Amino acid sequence: MSSKLRKASSADEEEAKVDMSPMIDMVFLLLIFFIVNATAIVVQTDPEVLPPVAANSLKQEDGRGRIVINVREDGKYTAENFNVILADEADIFDLVKEEKEKIDSLGLVPKLHLRGDQDAVFKYSRTAIRAAAAAGVDQVIFAVYQTHKGLRK
């Protein structure tokens, strides 16, 4: 009798299959979730500033927590919104202090992103670094190009 049962049950059995539709739906939902939550970090550049070329430079992957200061060839300073000109070291200090507080509240480490023109004298950059240090920002990223390709001068 057991052999009759086996034959009867094996003839009607179909191969077990897993339905992949819910898994594919879940993958698409996760993909949409991560795309929506990703933040694009864009650093505006001052067209008056042409950074120097350093062949051995490395591209910074993490753009969060940056406080951008542009140093023009004539020694003028601008913030990331390059329409605002910073008159002196006190203005740089105030800007960095204000931005540092915002960045600290997000739980990030503030860094000075210094974009100095290749023809600017280093003492202008040193002034910006000194003001940032006085405001409590001790990490500095120097902006440079890796090649001469595409430079305007």
Side-chain angles (χ1 to χ4, degrees), residues 14 24 27 36 41 44 57 60 72 84 93 111 137 145:
E14 292 183 19
I24 292 171
V27 168
V36 168
I41 298 171
Q44 295 179 350
S57 63
Q60 294 293 313
R72 294 183 176 173
V84 178
F93 174 83
K111 303 172 205 97
V137 176
Y145 288 128

Side-chain angles (χ1 to χ4, degrees), residues 46-53 71 115-119 143 145 150-153:
D46 187 346
E48 298 292 319
V49 175
L50 181 65
V53 175
V71 182
R115 294 189 71 250
D117 192 90
Q118 65 184 3
D119 296 326
Y145 288 128
L151 298 182
R152 62 173 153 71
K153 285 190 179 178

Side-chain angles (χ1 to χ4, degrees), residues 29-139:
L29 286 173
L30 286 172
L31 183 65
I32 290 169
F33 173 79
F34 288 120
I35 289 173
V36 168
N37 286 325
T39 57
I41 298 171
V42 178
V43 175
Q44 295 179 350
T45 58
D46 187 346
E48 298 292 319
V49 175
L50 181 65
V53 175
N56 295 326
S57 63
L58 299 173
K59 183 177 180 183
Q60 294 293 313
E61 298 299 326
D62 188 12
R64 299 176 300 165
R66 292 187 184 189
I67 304 168
V68 179
I69 301 288
N70 298 299
V71 182
R72 294 183 176 173
E73 182 180 355
D74 59 358
K76 291 182 182 174
Y77 303 99
T78 60
E80 184 172 4
N81 178 3
F82 50 87
N83 296 327
V84 178
I85 295 180
L86 305 169
D88 57 2
E89 193 170 343
D91 286 348
I92 297 170
F93 174 83
D94 294 339
L95 174 80
V96 171
K97 187 82 167 168
E98 180 182 322
E99 291 296 319
K100 180 185 182 303
E101 290 172 2
K102 290 178 190 175
I103 293 168
D104 283 341
S105 69
L106 296 173
L108 300 172
V109 177
K111 303 172 205 97
L112 177 66
H113 182 106
L114 193 61
R115 294 189 71 250
D117 192 90
Q118 65 184 3
D119 296 326
V121 181
F122 181 71
K123 71 177 182 177
Y124 301 132
S125 296
R126 185 175 36 209
T127 301
I129 294 168
R130 191 178 316 122
V137 176
D138 59 355
Q139 294 186 22

